[in-house]
Amino acid sequence: MSNEIGLTGPTQQFINDMTALGATARADGPRILYDVVAVGGALNGQTMTTGVSVSEVQSWPMVPPHWIHLPDSVAFPETNMDDIDCQPGWKRHSRDFSYTDMSMPPALAWLRHVRGFISIAIPKAA
Amino acid sequence: MRYSVAMTGEVEAAMRDHLIREDGQEDVLAATYVLSTGVERTTALIKSVVFPGEGERLVHGNASFTSGYVLRASNEARAAGHGLALLHSHPGSRGWQLLSDMDWETESEYERVARGITKMPLLGMTLGGRDTSWSARFWFDRSAPTWAESVRSVSPKLAVTWNNEIRRIPSITRSQQRTVSSWGERTQSSIARLRVLVVGGGSVGLDVAQRLAATGLATVGVMDYDAVETVNLDRMIGATRLDAALGRSKVKVASRLMKSAATAESFEIHNHEVSITDPVGVSAALDYDVIFSCVDRPWPRAVLNALAYTDLIPVIDGGIALDTFPDGRMRNGIWRAHTLVPGRPCMACLGQLVIGDIPLDKQGLLDDPEYIAGAHREAPSRQNVAALSASVSAALLAQFVSLTAHPGGRGVPAPLRHVLSTHTLEHSVATSGPYCAYENATTAGDTRTPIAEHREDWRAIVYERATKKSPFRLRALAAAEDILQRAISRLK
Ligand SMILES: [Zn+2]
């Protein structure tokens, strides 16, 4: 379901900033989805759809999101996770984002963080 | 509502350089502004300067705008969603300037043009050339202007021109003799009129608040929604066992201690039992000229980090970190102090605010032991000692003096860091990042990206405290204490 109601300035800004970097972002109900290519780990080379909660980008870019949404098929050695704002069959994962280098655009820093996270995914136990 | 105008030092310099001419003639200039709306004060933040083109103004005796210049500037302002400011200089004058009949007529005439095009009031400003003093007025209709109370220029030096009619020069009291002899009556009269807010009424905030009161400031606000607890008594100097037993709010305790420390003839205290991370806290903060950040969590610090730039209110921030050996002995202690103003790096650029921690703080995860364990994070260290917390408040207050009194003609230093184990004072070489979202939002005013959020949790704490009934014995002690304090405060 696409988000019919207007997005707040910061939400739209997040979508624009990610899209400008090639990670075409779109609103999807209470979340924003975009695609990232994994550069290592179990998903190496695959394009993964991932996302963030809309509620987490209300102060973008001054406050970045934290939780990374991914399908259940993607597993990690150990993370905090829950399914708030996620579509069925998805989880959101917590991973510390230590962005302190303001010489990098916020969206690029976030994209690298997410790409780095997806690239340490492990094969899902059968 | 009070009115004021603020600008960055950079904008001020550009306008001053244009308005003060080598030939000593008057000149005129247009600029645009946005509003920053507090509870009791509305501030116009000068956004951009619209320099005149060839033939757009006349400079002979009384300088004047051509209507083409005013129209062009109005249209530029409207395109950006800003208001219009018209400025002129009085090269030979000093202090807050009033309007001559002719200037009155000019501004009154252009009021309609500005309002018609920008839908915002015309802002009129005058520069007194002899001492670089600015004055300002808002034209809400064409009949008469509403005078601003102050105009401030914000850079590593804070320079305020006061409208003495609206904010009177406080008289020097007997108990201020040594303060005044340190920096002179003029500096005292400017500093004493600053409205200063202390956010966080803990060990550092409480100390800072009292010293501001003792310095002779006429208005000090303290913002904190929390209460004094027994665990605070080792550091909150002046807070009593009775305060902790009653669970008194930190702002109430600060207010009592400030009253007894104050040296101003009339001292005004504002108690804000609210959170700076809520829009009500932000609105209250927008009424102030300088803010002390005496909070240590990422979210409130992020809100203050933003306000310093978006609304041109200098924020003085700092903190302490104590480090122990595995056997519990002290390894090191570091305290820092820095002032956030345009032209100096923000907390994020300094590495003093990890912006990735802000969402965790907002979601309460930094206090969630299960989350902390799952994330393999270390719980925030809570060590602190009263003997060192005074070093933090001292460092913050020294920044305040540099910001407002400019000893040696200098403003605030580069961010400072005192390392206890090596006994060194280090000047940070950190610079502003080109993509810093905070500094790039300088003078956003009311279009700022909101970081604060309406929450019920702190409201519940304040409500519960207000409705709680203490045991009779404690109430009796509180009443006796109150009588004693009233009697003491009547002593001359
Ligand atoms: Zn910055």
Side-chain angles (χ1 to χ4, degrees), chain A residues 12-26 32-36 50 52 60 106-112 114:
Chain A
Q12 191 60 53
Q13 185 72 46
F14 180 78
I15 290 175
N16 297 350
D17 291 352
M18 295 300 283
T19 302
L21 292 172
T24 307
R26 62 266 177 198
I32 295 165
L33 299 176
Y34 52 92
D35 302 326
V36 178
T50 174
V52 297
W60 176 264
L108 182 58
W110 176 252
L111 195 59
R112 286 188 179 170
V114 173

Side-chain angles (χ1 to χ4, degrees), chain B residues 70-351:
Chain B
V70 176
L71 279 172
R72 179 174 69 86
S74 299
N75 285 318
E76 280 185 28
R78 181 186 58 181
H82 304 166
L84 175 73
L86 294 180
L87 303 92
H88 69 275
S89 54
H90 290 170
S93 307
R94 55 175 82 236
W96 189 273
Q97 299 294 299
L98 298 177
L99 281 172
S100 68
D101 289 348
M102 209 165 136
D103 294 336
W104 179 296
E105 217 166 281
T106 305
E107 291 189 1
S108 154
E109 222 159 88
Y110 284 127
E111 182 275 330
R112 205 157 41 100
V113 179
R115 168 174 303 283
I117 296 177
T118 67
K119 312 289 179 225
M120 286 169 76
L122 172 71
L123 177 68
M125 289 181 74
T126 313
L127 170 62
R130 292 287 284 279
D131 60 352
T132 325
S133 54
W134 295 88
S135 40
R137 57 247 154 224
F138 290 71
W139 291 85
F140 294 107
D141 59 57
R142 66 175 311 177
S143 63
T146 299
W147 286 94
E149 179 194 67
S150 66
V151 178
R152 65 183 190 276
S153 163
V154 185
S155 69
K157 285 184 194 175
L158 173 65
V160 184
T161 312
W162 292 100
N163 179 344
N164 296 339
E165 295 293 313
I166 296 183
R167 184 87 165 145
R168 298 207 170 272
I169 299 175
S171 44
I172 308 258
T173 61
R174 271 198 305 155
S175 50
Q176 292 169 351
Q177 279 175 20
R178 293 189 183 173
T179 306
V180 175
S181 65
S182 306
W183 50 40
E185 277 189 33
R186 195 184 144 89
T187 299
Q188 177 70 14
S189 86
S190 186
I191 292 177
R193 285 184 279 182
L194 293 171
R195 291 186 175 82
V196 178
L197 174 65
V198 179
V199 179
S203 54
V204 172
L206 187 62
D207 191 18
V208 166
Q210 292 179 71
R211 287 175 190 280
L212 292 172
T215 303
L217 272 76
T219 310
V220 178
V222 177
M223 187 180 290
D224 202 313
Y225 64 84
D226 247 328
V228 177
E229 294 171 52
T230 308
V231 63
N232 303 134
L233 291 180
D234 66 343
R235 283 161 293 117
M236 288 186 60
I237 306 302
T240 63
R241 286 181 185 80
L242 181 60
D243 294 328
L246 287 165
R248 270 187 181 138
S249 68
K250 287 182 178 171
V251 297
K252 201 173 271 178
V253 171
S255 149
R256 179 186 74 226
L257 293 170
M258 279 196 290
K259 248 179 234 164
S260 68
T263 59
E265 200 170 50
S266 68
F267 181 56
E268 199 183 313
I269 295 173
H270 292 272
N271 290 338
H272 304 282
E273 279 189 54
V274 298
S275 171
I276 190 67
T277 58
D278 195 282
V280 299
V282 172
S283 297
L286 292 176
D287 291 344
Y288 289 88
D289 301 307
V290 177
I291 299 175
F292 280 85
S293 160
C294 304
V295 282
D296 55 5
R297 310 205 42 135
W299 190 17
R301 291 178 77 227
V303 171
L304 294 171
N305 192 48
L307 280 194
Y309 298 90
T310 55
D311 297 88
L312 303 185
I313 302 172
V315 170
I316 301 172
D317 176 72
I320 186 164
L322 300 183
D323 193 13
T324 52
F325 286 112
D327 66 3
R329 287 174 306 125
M330 183 181 264
R331 186 203 301 265
N332 194 11
I334 293 176
W335 57 90
R336 306 162 186 274
H338 34 260
T339 302
L340 314 174
V341 285
R344 289 273 189 267
C346 78
M347 290 184 209
C349 290
L350 283 174

Side-chain angles (χ1 to χ4, degrees), chain A residues 10 55-56 58-67 78-80 92 94-106, chain B residues 306 310 348-349 354-360 362-363 365 370-371 374-377 433-438 441 449-451:
Chain A
S55 66
E56 281 210 299
Q58 294 307 307
S59 304
W60 176 264
M62 284 161 162
V63 182
H66 176 74
W67 298 88
E78 45 191 18
T79 69
N80 278 315
R92 29 171 243 178
S94 161
R95 186 166 173 84
D96 281 350
F97 179 36
S98 51
Y99 168 47
T100 48
D101 178 8
M102 304 292 147
S103 64
M104 191 195 297
Chain B
T310 55
C349 290
V354 178
I355 68 170
D357 285 350
I358 306 166
L360 296 179
K362 280 182 75 171
Q363 292 164 35
L365 296 171
E370 208 175 304
Y371 176 86
H376 304 283
R377 285 179 74 103
Y435 291 101
C436 172
Y438 292 86
T449 299
I451 298 176

